[in-house]
Amino acid sequence: RHEEGRFRIIAPTIRTLRQLTRFRSVDEVLDHASRQTTVFVSCQRAGWLRGKVERFSEDELPYGELELVTPDGSIEHTLDWQSERVVPLLRNVHRLTAPNPGRMTGPGTNTYLVGTPGDWTVIDPGPDDHAHIERLAAFVGDGLKAIVCTHAHPDHAPGAAPLQQRTGVRILGRPSGPDFNPAWTFRPDETLEDGARLTVGDSTLRVLHTPGHAEHHICLLLEEDGLLFSGDHILSGSTTVVDPPDGDMRAYVRSLERLAAEPFDYILPAHGHVIARAKTEIARLIAHRMAREAKVVDALERSGGGTLDELVVLAYDDVDPILHPVAKRSLTAHLLKLRDEHRATLDDRSARWQPA
């Protein structure tokens, strides 16, 4: 009756009832409660979604964005994904999502506009989509100072050239390496070295070289506000694909560990909502990768070895089979990491991996 609008229930009760719908019996509820490591004690946060006020708990994706944008709890922020309007997140941070939603891009690529009128930097201009570029150019006017690409995958960097043609500003980033897809070769006008600082209005962006998803990948730390623009190194609601040979699982985990030591509280990913409790999320991602690695090792040991097609079924049995072709890329990255650590071997003739 509540879902039909015929019976009013207060928000904490709604949250509890919705959580209970995940369980089939009282025994399942009690078992979950006995193993629960985190108990949420904060109030839900509310925003507008599909024309209605919706409330979200700490374990739901929009919560972090609402915490950042409306810290006083006011109900002002709209959460619907759209590509027509620039969304203000902070005084000096705005977002325009490209119209390229999909299985690999989620709601689309987030282009961030950092700075103040007359002094803007664009981070990840996205695909070469005319309407998206026109909206970016209209927003910054003649005040764009730089275009920064976190990496050169086709949903992030192709928009840089047409935006440069419109504005005349320089493209910044790191050049792609020899193992990167040659069709996406990237040569910025200026190479950003690790630790370099970019002044944007009254803010400072510090460059962090974070190889793993791509060898030339960078994140950008907005120092005064404690925000990390994570590109594809950290995503909201999904895990990053690590695709060898340019992608490297050992480097990816090392980069996560490096980020865990940096001073920021929020993550602004290239796909999805803002993420709060940044260090908790990074710890979760590292634990997830190590848990997946353990499943890969178990698959090798239980099967006695196998091809990628055979191992992906065992090591990614919790993933929709439709995603197994993509999962095989990260599986390869895990196996190469294990080989480098002398924990797995590859027979090149049969393409079979075996435990070392």
Side-chain angles (χ1 to χ4, degrees):
R1 284 190 296 159
H2 167 76
E3 297 293 346
E4 295 171 354
R6 297 187 293 113
F7 186 74
R8 295 180 64 84
I9 305 175
I10 62 174
T13 303
I14 296 170
R15 174 168 60 177
T16 300
L17 291 173
R18 285 178 175 168
Q19 288 177 331
L20 287 173
T21 62
R22 304 181 326 202
F23 305 102
R24 293 173 296 180
S25 67
V26 173
D27 288 339
E28 284 191 7
V29 174
L30 294 174
D31 179 64
H32 172 78
S34 68
R35 294 181 289 104
Q36 193 170 4
T37 58
T38 302
V39 177
F40 298 119
V41 295
S42 64
C43 293
Q44 291 178 305
R45 291 185 176 271
W48 290 92
L49 185 64
R50 295 184 290 274
K52 298 192 304 181
V53 173
E54 296 285 352
R55 299 179 185 277
F56 299 91
S57 304
E58 295 172 44
D59 58 337
E60 296 177 293
L61 295 179
Y63 185 93
E65 184 158 318
L66 293 170
E67 181 180 276
L68 175 69
V69 178
T70 53
D72 61 355
S74 57
I75 305 174
E76 300 173 359
H77 189 59
T78 299
L79 294 161
D80 297 281
W81 290 107
Q82 49 78 29
S83 299
E84 291 75 34
R85 298 179 305 281
V86 174
V87 176
L89 299 176
L90 292 178
R91 171 189 61 85
N92 55 339
V93 179
H94 296 66
R95 179 182 68 208
L96 181 64
T97 303
N100 61 333
R103 180 171 288 122
M104 300 303 296
T105 56
T109 301
N110 291 330
T111 297
Y112 291 102
L113 302 110
V114 181
T116 53
D119 194 352
W120 295 106
T121 288
V122 164
I123 299 174
D124 280 343
D128 183 0
D129 180 274
H130 178 74
H132 184 63
I133 301 305
E134 288 297 310
R135 293 180 187 116
L136 292 173
F139 183 85
V140 299
D142 60 359
L144 185 62
K145 303 302 183 185
I147 302 166
V148 180
C149 297
T150 62
H151 63 299
H153 282 150
D155 56 328
H156 286 256
L163 185 59
Q164 182 184 54
Q165 291 171 2
R166 285 290 309 272
T167 61
V169 304
R170 291 168 66 78
I171 298 170
L172 284 57
R174 294 182 64 84
S176 54
D179 292 323
F180 196 65
N181 188 327
W184 307 332
T185 297
F186 181 62
R187 295 292 180 264
D189 299 319
E190 180 180 335
T191 297
L192 292 176
E193 300 296 344
D194 183 64
R197 284 180 166 84
L198 306 174
T199 300
V200 187
D202 57 359
S203 302
T204 308
L205 288 166
R206 177 156 56 90
V207 178
L208 303 171
H209 181 209
T210 50
H213 175 64
E215 188 281 329
H216 63 289
H217 192 287
I218 61 171
C219 295
L220 296 154
L221 176 59
L222 189 60
E223 294 186 314
E224 292 82 0
D225 294 285
L227 307 180
L228 181 77
F229 298 95
S230 65
D232 275 358
H233 201 80
I234 299 173
L235 306 175
S236 177
S238 61
T239 54
T240 299
V241 174
V242 179
D243 188 8
D246 189 65
D248 184 299
M249 189 62 71
R250 294 180 74 183
Y252 178 78
V253 174
R254 282 198 301 267
S255 293
L256 283 177
E257 292 169 343
R258 186 238 177 127
L259 291 175
E262 293 288 346
F264 58 89
D265 301 309
Y266 294 91
I267 298 168
L268 279 64
H271 305 281
H273 290 294
V274 175
I275 303 168
R277 292 169 300 285
K279 303 309 172 61
T280 299
E281 176 63 11
I282 291 173
R284 186 193 71 79
L285 288 173
I286 294 172
H288 170 78
R289 294 292 181 175
M290 294 301 97
R292 182 66 68 191
E293 180 179 289
K295 290 195 70 169
V296 173
V297 171
D298 182 65
L300 284 170
E301 292 176 347
R302 284 194 293 126
S303 65
T307 63
L308 288 176
D309 287 333
E310 294 166 342
L311 293 172
V312 73
V313 176
L314 300 173
Y316 288 80
D317 59 353
D318 55 337
V319 173
D320 189 332
I322 199 170
L323 295 176
H324 280 182
V326 176
K328 283 197 293 185
R329 304 184 208 169
S330 289
L331 171 60
T332 301
H334 276 294
L335 288 166
L336 289 171
K337 176 177 180 292
L338 292 171
R339 186 185 66 181
D340 291 344
E341 296 168 352
H342 308 292
R343 300 165 63 193
T345 61
L346 171 64
D347 184 331
D348 291 322
R349 288 178 299 177
S350 65
R352 293 182 65 83
W353 287 89
Q354 295 178 318

